[in-house]
Amino acid sequence: ASMLMMAGCSEKQSAYGVLGEIEQIADQDPDRALQMMDSLQRDSALQGTDQRMLCELVTAEAMHAVGIPLKEDTVLQHCIDHFRQTGDERHEARAMLHHGMDLYYHGRYMEGLSMIKQVEKMTEDFDDPDLCFTLDAVMGDINDNAGNMPLTLHYYHRALEVAQKCEDVNRQVQMLNNLATTFDKTAQTDSLQYYVELSRALRDQTKAYIRATSLVNEASLMRQKDRIKEALQLLESSRKDAPLDKGTMLLADINAQQGKMQEAHDLWYELLHSPNPEIRIHCYESLIAYYQQEGFHERVADLSKRLNQYYQRVYVESPSADIIALQTQMSQQEKERQQYRTTILLLSCISFLLVCILIGIGYYRRRISRLNTHIDSLNQKYLTWQMAESLLSSDIVNRLHRMAVKGKEAENEDWKALHALVQQQSPEFLARLNGAASLSPLETNVCLLIRLRFTPSEIATLTGISPQRVTNMRTSLLLK
């Protein structure tokens, strides 16, 4: 989502003062842009419909830049109508692109794709590198999700060309990473190596997340060449920049390849909630194979059922064929209607009346306020939650603290004693943990240690994992 923001550069945009400044910084610092926009709205500094509509558009773009989609009935439709009425085609195209992305995200695939394809036709009439890059990157992602490799590569290459013309290193490496990932999924090692080498030459100049993706792709290449030591070094470097699901999956697979099945098992479990369908399905299949080998048939049955449900939702019910057919149909229609293009553009100027603008403007401010209130109440709840002294000062807890100081890993008997103590003195807490089907035994133990006020370094020692792994696991546990 980091490619979704575009900086305004016209005299009309810069005349808006603070609003123009927000447009300029939103691509590199969307969090700060959202804070400034919220302050601008609270102070009622916006004057006129033009500024209010531009405010809504830039807010939507910044939300997408941090990975937060909007509702499909967002005020962006009003922005489209307004910019269309005023003849501002650049802002109209930007609003249509982001509205189409929201429609697509919420399952209205055909509506969203149709709107994005309209933007693709509009961009032929004016030169806007930022808009063209975002459009091509999004279309590449859509076709990648639909399994249409030719169009995926076509759009990623177009986005790469735009980034090269603008000399934007971050965007160049981002697209090189996307191309490398596409060839990695299809096991085309030569093409993977080509784009990995291009990415490697530039990645030290990029943002942490983009650099981490490049390192993970190279680690995948090293693993395919059976250079496991180099792959592990690259994965370790990537985790310092940003923990990526693909990197975690590679590490799990390498551990399994080396016979470290418990480590692989725990990492696969972490990825059962990955937003990437291919990674999630791979981990389901790996865990099923592991439990089948170990004779845990109930877990095999449960995971198989969950995998089938997920596969049905993601692939069987997926509109991939319709997406490919729609693009083919629209391309053919465009060729047939070239001579009528002027008429089509004139007809597209028909717009809807602006309604509920004030409701739309206040929507996100109220939502953020409600979230902040909820977070404050949760913080207050947990700050005032005190553990019984008898539990914190028990023999097993003291023994575990001593073991951590001595650098010793806890044994099975220690964990059994800890579970028994918590079951006796805080059964509600343990019941909630055991009721979470997605928690692995290691994650349950980590939760107990956190609850008993063990430090991250103590947790790492007692569980036999790295401090970085503890940090990553705490983050995933918060999400669960």
Side-chain angles (χ1 to χ4, degrees):
S2 62
M3 85 285 285
L4 297 177
M5 278 302 304
M6 291 149 285
C9 58
S10 69
E11 293 180 1
K12 183 177 180 181
Q13 292 169 5
S14 61
Y16 292 145
V18 176
L19 189 54
E21 180 185 349
I22 294 172
E23 279 195 291
Q24 294 290 340
I25 69 167
D27 186 31
Q28 300 297 326
D29 195 352
D31 291 323
R32 183 185 169 205
L34 287 171
Q35 292 175 356
M36 293 176 65
M37 189 68 73
D38 186 55
S39 175
L40 191 65
Q41 291 176 325
R42 285 200 310 270
D43 295 340
S44 300
L46 299 175
Q47 300 293 330
T49 305
D50 279 352
Q51 292 186 18
R52 292 198 301 272
M53 291 296 96
L54 183 57
C55 173
E56 294 297 341
L57 172 59
V58 175
T59 299
E61 291 173 330
M63 296 285 283
H64 286 162
V66 296
I68 302 175
L70 282 64
K71 287 189 175 181
E72 62 266 37
D73 57 352
T74 172
V75 75
L76 280 177
Q77 182 61 60
H78 301 305
C79 294
I80 296 170
D81 296 338
H82 171 76
F83 293 131
R84 185 174 295 162
Q85 288 176 346
T86 58
D88 189 345
E89 291 187 353
R90 294 177 186 273
H91 283 109
E92 178 191 352
R94 283 166 55 180
M96 289 177 65
L97 173 60
H98 288 272
H99 189 37
M101 291 165 57
D102 285 324
L103 291 173
Y104 187 90
Y105 176 85
H106 288 287
R108 295 165 63 178
Y109 301 108
M110 297 302 103
E111 294 177 69
L113 180 57
S114 296
M115 184 167 290
I116 295 172
K117 292 290 288 183
Q118 290 179 50
V119 178
E120 186 175 19
K121 291 188 291 183
M122 293 173 65
T123 57
E124 297 174 358
D125 295 333
F126 48 81
D127 180 26
D128 190 330
D130 292 319
L131 175 59
C132 290
F133 176 84
T134 304
L135 172 66
D136 291 334
V138 169
M139 285 299 299
D141 292 343
I142 289 174
N143 281 284
D144 184 33
N145 293 337
N148 189 344
M149 185 174 179
L151 277 182
T152 299
L153 298 177
H154 168 73
Y155 281 109
Y156 284 160
H157 276 119
R158 280 184 23 167
L160 177 60
E161 290 175 4
V162 174
Q164 289 171 335
K165 290 180 181 178
C166 298
E167 298 182 352
D168 189 323
V169 176
N170 279 300
R171 286 176 170 176
Q172 288 181 54
V173 178
Q174 184 179 357
M175 287 303 104
L176 290 171
N177 288 342
N178 285 359
L179 288 163
T181 300
T182 301
F183 286 114
D184 191 14
K185 289 191 295 186
T186 54
Q188 299 185 46
T189 306
D190 291 341
S191 296
L192 168 63
Q193 179 170 341
Y194 174 75
Y195 288 104
V196 163
E197 290 174 352
L198 292 178
S199 172
R200 182 196 303 139
L202 299 172
R203 69 181 173 217
D204 289 341
Q205 308 171 47
T206 63
K207 297 177 182 178
Y209 178 83
I210 297 174
R211 184 168 58 249
T213 304
S214 175
L215 290 166
V216 169
N217 281 334
E218 186 172 358
S220 180
L221 176 64
M222 293 300 101
R223 185 193 175 211
Q224 292 179 35
K225 292 186 173 184
D226 205 27
R227 293 158 64 175
I228 302 301
K229 183 177 180 181
E230 294 174 62
L232 290 173
Q233 291 173 346
L234 289 164
L235 290 175
E236 181 63 27
S237 297
S238 73
R239 292 174 73 86
K240 293 177 182 178
D241 287 324
L244 302 178
D245 286 353
K246 181 179 178 181
T248 303
M249 182 187 70
L250 279 173
L251 182 59
D253 292 346
I254 291 174
N255 281 332
Q257 183 179 339
Q258 295 178 333
K260 302 175 182 178
M261 295 307 301
Q262 185 58 50
E263 290 87 342
H265 164 273
D266 295 338
L267 292 173
W268 286 327
Y269 240 107
E270 286 182 24
L271 296 173
L272 288 186
H273 294 278
S274 171
N276 186 308
E278 293 160 345
I279 291 177
R280 188 184 293 195
I281 288 173
H282 173 80
C283 292
Y284 267 119
E285 292 173 343
S286 299
L287 284 170
I288 290 171
Y290 169 75
Y291 286 133
Q292 185 74 46
Q293 183 177 358
E294 295 296 317
F296 297 127
H297 301 299
E298 291 185 2
R299 291 192 176 183
V300 169
D302 176 62
L303 288 174
S304 297
K305 179 181 178 181
R306 290 162 57 185
L307 173 58
N308 288 335
Q309 292 171 343
Y310 182 71
Y311 190 87
Q312 175 77 19
R313 185 171 69 253
V314 172
Y315 289 110
V316 178
E317 298 175 1
S318 170
S320 298
D322 293 336
I323 290 173
I324 296 172
L326 177 63
Q327 292 182 88
T328 303
Q329 178 185 3
M330 292 186 71
S331 297
Q332 182 63 32
Q333 289 174 346
E334 178 60 22
K335 293 178 182 178
E336 296 173 353
R337 293 190 307 231
Q338 282 297 327
Q339 57 184 329
Y340 305 111
R341 189 176 178 194
T342 303
T343 303
I344 294 173
L345 289 175
L346 290 174
L347 291 175
S348 69
C349 293
I350 300 174
S351 61
F352 297 99
L353 296 176
L354 296 175
V355 292
C356 304
I357 294 176
L358 293 177
I359 295 175
I361 292 175
Y363 175 79
Y364 287 103
R365 184 167 51 188
R366 291 196 300 272
R367 182 181 179 188
I368 292 173
S369 176
R370 288 196 299 269
L371 286 175
N372 286 336
T373 301
H374 181 60
I375 291 172
D376 289 341
S377 72
L378 288 178
N379 287 338
Q380 186 63 32
K381 174 182 177 182
Y382 288 110
L383 285 172
T384 56
W385 189 17
Q386 299 297 324
M387 180 70 78
E389 287 300 324
S390 59
L391 184 55
L392 294 174
S393 60
S394 63
D395 291 341
I396 179 59
V397 172
N398 289 332
R399 184 163 77 249
L400 288 172
H401 278 298
R402 291 194 299 271
M403 292 174 67
V405 171
K406 296 178 181 180
K408 294 183 178 181
E409 184 176 346
E411 304 291 341
N412 287 336
E413 294 302 319
D414 299 316
W415 294 120
K416 290 180 181 179
L418 183 62
H419 278 254
L421 178 64
V422 175
Q423 177 63 38
Q424 179 183 0
Q425 298 201 23
S426 187
E428 299 85 358
F429 177 66
L430 192 59
R432 291 190 65 182
L433 289 184
N434 291 334
S438 60
L439 292 186
S440 67
L442 174 61
E443 290 175 323
T444 301
N445 291 339
V446 170
C447 285
L448 289 178
L449 295 177
I450 293 173
R451 185 68 185 86
L452 292 167
R453 304 178 185 173
F454 281 76
T455 66
S457 60
E458 289 179 310
I459 295 174
T461 300
L462 292 171
T463 57
I465 62 179
S466 68
Q468 180 63 47
R469 176 88 180 283
V470 172
T471 300
N472 295 339
M473 187 177 294
R474 285 167 66 97
T475 301
S476 66
L477 286 171
L478 283 173
L479 295 175
K480 293 183 180 182

